[in-house]
Amino acid sequence: MEKNIMLNENIFWVGKVDNRDVPFHRLTLTKGTTYNSYLLMTEKPTIIDTVDISFGREFVENLQSLIELEKIKYIVINHTEPDHSGGLGSLAAKAKNAVIVCSKLAVDELKEMYKLHNREFLVVGDGDILDIGGKTLSFIETPFLHTEETMITYCIEDKILFPCDIFSTHVANNEYFNDLAKSDIIEDYIGYYKLIMHPHRRYVQNMIKKIKTLDIKIIAPSHGFILRDNVQNFIDIYDNMSKDSEVSKKVLVLYSTMTGSTKKIANILVEKFQEQNINSKILDVNKSTKEEVMKAINEADAIFFGSSTRYADMIGNMEEILKNLNNLNLEDKIGAAFGSYGWSGEAVEVVQDYLKKSNIKLLNTSDIIKSTGMIDIEFPLRIRFSPKENEIKRIEGAVRFTTDLLLSVI
Ligand code: FEO
C-alpha cells in the first residue's frame, strides 16, 4: 500500500500496484496491473475485495497500519478469482470477527480455496441490502462477468459502484483516478473489455440493464483506474460494444440422416436459431443437388454439418459436400459439426476433420474454453440416439453461443 487514497469520506483504496510483466490469460500484461481493494471505515468496517494471492501477506500488514484487523466486520468478495480473493486467507486469519459476504455460488469456492470451512458467511443476492453502520451496501448478481459467481457491490450513500473485474483496465499506475491519468486510458479500457468481457456480451447487456437505474458517481473496479470523470461514457462503451449487430445473418443446417435422429437435431438447431431471430435454412444433402447445397453454403454466415454414424463413418452425400469445401473461401464463415450416433459416433469427428482442413472458423470446445473460460458450450454436438431434454439444452447452448458470435459488432 503506497499511501492512503480516499475515494470519498471514509472510503479508501487499500490495494496493490503490480509493476511486473504479469502473466494473464496466456498473455503478458506489459503495462502491469493493479489489484484494487477498498476499506470502508464505518461503524462496521468493511473490506471490498482483496489483492492477488502473491501480495496477500503484504496487503494484510499494510492494512494493519490503518485499522485493528479484529474490528473488521465484513469482507465482501465480489469475485473468487485469486487476483482479488487472494488476500482473503491471510486477512481472515487476522480479521477473526469478520463475516465473509459473497454470492451463493462463491461460498464453496472460497471455503475450498482458503480453508475457511469454519468461518461465518453471509450469502447475498440481487437487491439484498447490508447496513455497515453509516453506509449501506446493495448487491447485484452479474453471473459470467466473467465467471459464474460474480457480483457487484454498490454503496448507496456515496453512489460508488464496486464492480470488481467489470469496467477495469490493466495498467499499473500511481494516479489511481482516471481524471489524473497521464494519458488517455480508453485504448486500455477497450482492450480489457474485448479480452475479458466481450465473450460474455449477452451477460454484459444484462448487467447494463441492472445498473441502469443506479445513480453512479464513481466506478471503483478492481484493476486499474478508478473512474470518476465522465463515468457514463465508460458504461456506454460497454453497452455499445456488447449490443447485437443489426446486420441480418444467415445460418445453414446441412444433414445426412440414417434413422431420423440427426434430422431431428437439425430441426432443433433451426428452431432454436429462429427463436434467436436468426434466419436459418435446412437442407438434406441426400435430397438436394450439389449445386443447391454449394450455393446455400456460399450465402450462409454459419454452417452446421451433420451426419449420422454408420460403420464408423459418415453416410450419404455429406462427404462429397465436405470434399468440395477446399475450393471455397470460407474465412468469414463459422462452421460446426453435429450428429446422432448409437455407439461411438465417429462420423461427427470425421466431419470435424474435414472442417479443420478448410479455412472456415471452426467451433470446438477446446478453443472456446481457452478463449472464453466457458466450460458448458459443446462443439461438435455429438448426441446419442434421439435428442432428449438434456441434449436439447446442449443444442440451445450451442445456438446461443453461435448467435452471440454472429451478431457481435466487434
Ligand atoms: Fe481480475 Fe477475474 O480476475
Side-chain angles (χ1 to χ4, degrees), residues 209-392:
K209 284 188 197 107
K210 286 185 179 185
I211 67 167
K212 215 153 212 160
T213 55
L214 299 179
D215 185 4
I216 301 169
K217 202 168 99 190
I218 299 176
I219 296 177
S222 292
H223 292 292
F225 290 96
I226 297 162
L227 310 170
R228 64 180 181 186
D229 181 47
N230 214 354
V231 169
Q232 189 58 44
N233 179 47
F234 289 95
I235 297 173
D236 289 344
I237 288 172
Y238 266 48
D239 191 11
N240 292 331
M241 296 189 94
S242 61
K243 273 185 176 147
D244 280 348
S245 156
E246 287 175 10
V247 178
S248 71
K249 300 284 179 176
K250 289 183 192 156
V251 169
L252 172 66
V253 180
L254 300 174
Y255 71 92
S256 181
T257 197
M258 186 167 63
T259 63
S261 294
T262 296
K263 178 180 180 180
K264 199 165 173 189
I265 301 168
N267 279 321
I268 295 169
L269 280 165
V270 168
E271 179 194 326
K272 297 298 170 191
F273 274 115
Q274 281 168 349
E275 283 173 14
Q276 301 284 329
N277 295 321
I278 298 284
N279 181 335
S280 44
K281 176 173 179 168
I282 185 167
L283 286 178
D284 179 341
V285 295
N286 303 313
K287 293 182 181 164
S288 314
T289 63
K290 187 173 145 194
E291 290 67 32
E292 192 181 355
V293 173
M294 299 320 282
K295 181 169 179 284
I297 289 174
N298 266 321
E299 288 169 354
D301 299 290
I303 306 120
F304 281 65
F305 299 83
S307 174
S308 313
T309 296
R310 185 173 59 197
Y311 304 138
D313 206 348
M314 293 178 280
I315 63 164
N317 295 338
M318 185 54 78
E319 185 152 23
E320 185 57 27
I321 299 297
L322 289 166
K323 277 180 183 166
N324 277 278
L325 294 184
N326 283 337
N327 303 326
L328 301 176
N329 182 4
L330 304 171
E331 66 183 355
D332 293 330
K333 300 182 193 292
I334 294 168
F338 72 96
S340 164
Y341 69 99
W343 292 269
S344 39
E346 291 88 343
V348 184
E349 305 303 323
V350 180
V351 171
Q352 180 96 339
D353 288 345
Y354 268 104
L355 296 178
K356 275 183 197 161
K357 283 184 220 148
S358 77
N359 64 349
I360 205 162
K361 280 185 227 151
L362 177 63
L363 298 178
N364 74 77
T365 300
S366 168
D367 287 343
I368 291 168
I369 291 174
K370 285 181 279 188
S371 62
T372 70
M374 294 179 198
I375 55 170
D376 55 345
I377 305 297
E378 184 186 335
F379 287 105
L381 272 167
R382 298 168 79 256
I383 292 177
R384 195 154 187 223
F385 298 114
S386 185
K388 291 159 213 68
E389 198 177 326
N390 194 37
E391 281 88 27
I392 293 171

Side-chain angles (χ1 to χ4, degrees), residues 4-260:
N4 299 337
I5 311 298
M6 195 160 83
L7 280 73
N8 215 6
E9 197 182 354
N10 294 328
I11 301 186
F12 302 93
W13 179 93
V14 291
K16 171 72 188 174
V17 177
D18 188 352
N19 284 305
R20 301 171 304 170
D21 281 352
V22 182
F24 185 77
H25 289 225
R26 294 190 60 76
L27 298 173
T28 301
L29 304 177
T30 53
K31 292 185 180 178
T33 192
T34 72
Y35 313 106
N36 301 338
S37 170
Y38 302 95
L39 167 63
L40 283 63
M41 198 77 102
T42 55
E43 288 159 29
K44 299 174 186 173
T46 297
I47 296 285
I48 299 182
D49 292 321
T50 69
V51 297
D52 184 78
I53 198 157
S54 348
F55 302 104
R57 195 171 296 175
E58 178 185 333
F59 165 70
V60 172
E61 280 166 12
N62 288 330
L63 208 50
Q64 268 169 333
S65 63
L66 294 178
I67 184 169
E68 252 179 82
L69 298 182
E70 293 198 352
K71 289 193 174 159
I72 294 173
K73 178 64 184 162
Y74 297 112
I75 304 170
V76 177
I77 300 291
N78 283 314
H79 170 40
T80 58
E81 262 198 315
D83 51 336
H84 307 293
S85 69
L88 180 60
S90 310
L91 180 58
K94 295 275 176 74
K96 293 185 189 310
N97 301 310
V99 174
I100 298 157
V101 182
C102 61
S103 69
K104 188 163 182 268
L105 288 173
V107 174
D108 286 343
E109 294 176 12
L110 294 173
K111 283 184 177 175
E112 284 298 320
M113 289 164 77
Y114 303 108
K115 309 287 173 254
L116 294 170
H117 298 87
N118 298 319
R119 286 301 287 248
E120 186 182 349
F121 278 75
L122 174 65
V123 171
V124 291
D126 264 343
D128 285 346
I129 297 285
L130 181 64
D131 176 358
I132 59 169
K135 295 185 190 292
T136 317
L137 302 180
S138 73
F139 303 95
I140 302 155
E141 291 171 78
T142 53
F144 300 106
L145 295 181
H146 60 107
T147 52
E148 198 174 5
E149 83 299 338
T150 52
M151 64 177 197
I152 283 177
T153 301
Y154 176 66
C155 181
I156 294 172
E157 291 79 3
D158 297 83
K159 303 182 168 96
I160 301 181
L161 196 71
F162 297 95
C164 202
D165 273 342
I166 308 165
F167 305 125
S168 281
T169 42
H170 277 313
V171 180
N173 74 88
N174 293 294
E175 291 80 44
Y176 306 99
F177 298 95
N178 71 314
D179 52 306
L180 305 180
K182 291 187 182 125
S183 55
D184 193 350
I185 71 165
I186 292 292
E187 192 181 327
D188 290 314
Y189 180 79
I190 289 176
Y192 180 97
Y193 166 81
K194 284 183 179 171
L195 179 65
I196 305 297
M197 296 296 158
H198 192 69
H200 311 273
R201 64 182 187 81
R202 187 179 292 252
Y203 298 97
V204 173
Q205 282 290 305
N206 293 346
M207 178 273 297
I208 298 277
K209 284 188 197 107
K210 286 185 179 185
I211 67 167
K212 215 153 212 160
T213 55
L214 299 179
D215 185 4
I216 301 169
K217 202 168 99 190
I218 299 176
I219 296 177
S222 292
H223 292 292
F225 290 96
I226 297 162
L227 310 170
R228 64 180 181 186
D229 181 47
N230 214 354
V231 169
Q232 189 58 44
N233 179 47
F234 289 95
I235 297 173
D236 289 344
I237 288 172
Y238 266 48
D239 191 11
N240 292 331
M241 296 189 94
S242 61
K243 273 185 176 147
D244 280 348
S245 156
E246 287 175 10
V247 178
S248 71
K249 300 284 179 176
K250 289 183 192 156
V251 169
L252 172 66
V253 180
L254 300 174
Y255 71 92
S256 181
T257 197
M258 186 167 63
T259 63

